[in-house]
Amino acid sequence: MTTLHGVPTAGARTARRVRHALWAAPALALITVFVYYPVVENVRLSLLKFSVFQPGTRYVGLDNYRQAFSDPVFWKALVNNLLFAVTSVTVQVGAALVLAALLEELVGRRLGGLLRTLYVVPAAVSMTVAGLLFQFLYQRDAGLVNSLLGGVGLDSWQRDWLGQPDTAIWGVIGMSQWQSFGYTTMLLTVAVQRIPRELYEAAYVDGAGRVRTFFTVTVPMVRQMTTLLVILTVSGAFLVFNEVMVMTGGGPSNSSQVLGTWLYASAFTGDDMGYAAAIGTVMFVLTFAAGAAQLYYSRRKAVEA
């Protein structure tokens, strides 16, 4: 007998839990093997000194982390990742949400299909192709950026954008925003379209203008999507690698290094695998903490609402 007066018995509940566990077991096994185990193994390796060209390892405790925190290139890379994160959240979430709301208000769904196609085109371009394209755009003599600046009389602004330490990282960040901005705008446009129009009509009846309606209706109603995009953009900013490797390789003079490229250089150029593992652990902690903080904030706001 599986139920008693319509209520499942203890045996039935246990059998159901076992079935659920069996269905989840393959996924849990894959996550354990390909996610949790590599994380734990990387932490273990970060406590060692070893080389791929020599057998054996040497336990050094937290020396690799002390080396990282005393390494000026590590701090430069971390600052560059933070610049990536702040810029990405501002552009790919903040500015994209404003554009999505404006387009939905002014254009509506008349050109929705065309706009969604235009949004996704940059994201469909491979990272290598986009990096090479922007390398050409940033060239000092033949690049389009300097040509446009010269054409409007801003010759003093012309420079070797990827060849100078103070502008190289911004050139890479600019390319990254160009590639991702349209895709996040498309996602936010879909989220804005799902907001009931009655809420906007009620706000207008109460005398709210477009700016106030944006902050009191649009922003709260797309919180789930913005939370997801913030987590993805911040995580992506701390895991960025391809853009820098294609466009600058971390140069000039390590000015555009990020944690991912410095990890790669330390491991495969400097042959300091333990130090590279320590950098990887720092990257994991930062991305995990950022995601957890954003989820906590979002859930607290949802409860308050």
Side-chain angles (χ1 to χ4, degrees), residues 16 37 43 49 58 102 105 112 117 121 149 153 168 183 188 190 204 247 254 271 273:
R16 185 174 58 185
Y37 171 73
V43 173
K49 280 288 186 182
R58 179 167 57 91
L102 284 174
E105 178 72 21
T117 302
V121 166
L149 291 174
Y183 183 70
L188 288 167
V190 174
Y204 293 143
M247 297 183 67
N254 291 319
D271 191 30
M273 295 294 176

Side-chain angles (χ1 to χ4, degrees), residues 62-278:
L62 299 178
D63 285 355
N64 288 320
Y65 295 94
R66 297 189 186 96
Q67 179 183 347
F69 296 146
S70 62
D71 183 358
V73 181
F74 170 84
W75 288 110
K76 180 64 177 177
L78 179 58
V79 169
N80 287 339
N81 280 109
L82 290 173
L83 291 176
F84 255 101
V86 172
T87 306
S88 297
V89 170
T90 303
V91 175
Q92 297 178 32
V93 181
L97 179 56
V98 173
L99 179 60
L102 284 174
L103 291 176
E104 182 63 18
E105 178 72 21
L106 301 177
V107 179
R109 304 188 181 185
R110 291 171 295 174
L111 300 176
L114 175 61
L115 291 176
R116 282 192 291 270
T117 302
L118 294 176
Y119 293 158
V120 80
V121 166
V125 178
S126 74
M127 187 66 66
T128 302
V129 172
L132 294 175
L133 171 64
F134 272 76
Q135 272 189 329
F136 175 75
L137 295 178
Y138 288 136
Q139 282 184 359
R140 181 178 182 85
D141 298 323
L144 181 61
V145 174
N146 283 341
S147 298
L148 291 175
L149 291 174
V152 296
L154 297 176
D155 301 70
S156 61
W157 288 25
Q158 294 178 335
R159 63 195 67 212
D160 185 4
W161 295 96
L162 298 180
Q164 295 185 1
D166 57 340
T167 59
I169 188 61
W170 290 110
V172 179
I173 291 175
M175 187 278 290
S176 178
Q177 305 313 306
W178 169 84
Q179 189 169 42
S180 302
F181 178 74
Y183 183 70
T184 57
T185 301
M186 181 185 67
L187 295 177
L188 288 167
T189 300
V190 174
V192 171
Q193 290 176 348
R194 296 176 62 184
I195 300 175
R197 306 312 299 176
E198 294 81 3
L199 297 179
Y200 289 104
E201 295 171 0
Y204 293 143
V205 169
D206 291 339
R210 289 182 176 178
V211 175
R212 183 178 178 185
T213 301
F214 174 78
F215 285 104
T216 58
V217 177
T218 304
V219 173
M221 293 300 294
V222 298
R223 181 175 292 126
Q224 289 184 339
M225 179 60 72
T226 55
T227 299
L228 174 63
L229 290 177
V230 167
I231 293 174
L232 292 177
T233 53
V234 171
S235 299
F238 280 103
L239 300 176
V240 65
F241 177 80
N242 292 336
E243 298 95 316
V244 179
M245 288 299 293
V246 170
M247 297 183 67
T248 65
S253 302
N254 291 319
S255 62
S256 63
Q257 291 282 7
V258 291
L259 291 176
T261 57
W262 190 232
L263 182 156
Y264 178 87
S266 300
F268 300 108
T269 302
D271 191 30
D272 196 346
M273 295 294 176
Y275 179 49

